[in-house]
Amino acid sequence: MNKKVSYSEKEWKEILTDSEYKILRRKGTEPPFSGKFLYNKKRGIYICAGCKNPLFSSETKFDSGCGWPSFREVISKGSVKLKKDKSFGINRVEVVCSKCGGHLGHVFDDDPNPTGKRFCINSISLDFKERK
Ligand code: FE
């Protein structure tokens, strides 16, 4: 099993860029249609920008039109944790990295794709490993 990653807030501030820190550790959201991976069509694996945990495969990435990189499924069951999120008076399900607890985005059940799932993930929470 993956070893958990835990750093103090001070350490995270040193490890992450300012924008990564705001999103991963402070549950921020990048502006829609701004993310570097939104239109990435290369084959490969998306990993956590905080701890490098593998999260999503390009094979399940699709264009949902929501403005954030969208995926139908996670790469393996244990790679993320889902949490109830009632912030802003809206019931949503937050997606966090199972290894470092970093905020990734939200998942919705409303998509017409076969899994019904739409994981909307901040590009800033992700790094990409291309597979040739
Ligand atoms: Fe992580």
Side-chain angles (χ1 to χ4, degrees), residues 82-95:
L82 304 181
K83 292 182 167 184
K84 281 187 182 159
D85 175 6
K86 294 180 190 287
S87 60
F88 306 106
I90 312 164
N91 282 317
R92 291 184 296 174
V93 179
E94 182 193 4
V95 183

Side-chain angles (χ1 to χ4, degrees), residues 48 51 97 100:
C48 176
C51 75
C97 172
C100 71

